[in-house]
Structures are given as C-alpha cells and as structure tokens.
Amino acid sequence: MSDCVFCKIIKGDITSAKVYEDEFVLVFADIAPAAPVHLLAVPKEHIENIDGLTEANADIMSRLFLAAKTAAKAKGISGAYRIIINNGSEAGQEVFHLHLHILGGKKMGDKANCAP
Ligand code: AMP
C-alpha cells in the first residue's frame, strides 16, 4: 500500500526505532508513546486490521504475539505489559495496517473505559 505509513516504515522509506524484525514481522517504537515502553508489532504484509484476517493469513497473529514477547524481553518488560489492538475507526484505529500496541514500563491502571 503506497500511502500506508507502516508499509513505508517496513520498506525503510520512513525511519523507525526498530526493536525486532524477522521475515514476517517488524516491531518498532511508537512515535507518540502512551507509556514508558510503547511498541508496535506489525505484519510485513499489508492487512488492514483483524477484519482483514482470513484462513490464508491468520498465522500472522501468532507471529505477532511471539514477536511481541521477544521485543518485550528486549525492552525489559517481560511479564508486565498490555497488548491492545484497535480494530476500526470507531475503536480508535488511525493507521489501517494491522498492529499490536505493546505497552509497559509502568503499573497499568484500569482497562480501557468502554462505557457508552
Ligand atoms: P492506532 O490508533 O491503533 O491506529 O495506532 C496508530 C499508532 O501509530 C499511534 O499510536 C501512533 O502514534 C503511531 N504512529 C503513527 N505514525 C508513526 C510513525 N511514523 N512511527 C511510529 N509510530 C507511529
């Protein structure tokens, strides 16, 4: 996707603070951190969000979570992080390239407020 910011990061056209990379996944620091450690784990394949998963590409979810585990260890937050996926604009998704937010480095408060 030529206009996708995360695709540009994956291609190296936009710089990022890379924490982990393999054939399928890139993990880098969020540019506007919401916690002392705030990483994003993205598939190298452009998938918009959870709704873009199919039987053919669903394996990427386990790869994203394994990459998150490795990246969390590298950043010293093993066993103490929260993972969030915003799925769709109503849920707060701003970049339409599937990503896990990995948040840690402080005591987490209440879960997100989903009250109507
Ligand atoms: P979401 O609202 O779930 O789509 O999250 C998108 C996230 O991408 C936000 O937390 C942004 O701060 C982050 N973001 C946007 N552009 C960049 C960038 N160039 N480098 C790193 N993080 C970014």
Side-chain angles (χ1 to χ4, degrees):
M1 286 280 288
S2 56
D3 60 344
C4 170
V5 64
F6 291 172
C7 285
K8 288 179 183 167
I9 287 173
I10 291 160
K11 277 176 65 186
D13 293 345
I14 295 177
T15 55
S16 68
K18 193 185 301 182
V19 176
Y20 172 84
E21 182 171 20
D22 64 28
E23 188 182 344
F24 303 99
V25 176
L26 179 66
V27 185
F28 54 93
D30 194 295
I31 202 168
V37 178
H38 186 173
L39 309 176
L40 301 171
V42 307
K44 291 189 172 177
E45 177 189 359
H46 182 87
I47 300 168
E48 281 205 353
N49 56 28
I50 297 284
D51 295 338
L53 291 173
T54 65
E55 290 288 340
N57 66 16
D59 283 3
I60 194 62
M61 293 310 294
S62 51
R63 294 187 185 279
L64 286 172
F65 280 103
L66 283 172
K69 177 180 122 174
T70 302
K73 187 172 182 189
K75 297 300 285 184
I77 59 167
S78 284
Y81 53 91
R82 179 176 291 173
I83 289 184
I84 295 173
I85 302 174
N86 296 321
N87 192 74
S89 53
E90 286 291 304
Q93 185 176 9
E94 292 177 349
V95 177
F96 280 77
H97 182 127
L98 177 63
H99 53 282
L100 310 184
H101 292 263
I102 304 151
L103 298 144
K106 68 172 188 181
K107 176 105 174 110
M108 292 289 160
D110 290 342
K111 309 283 186 295
N113 181 3
C114 298

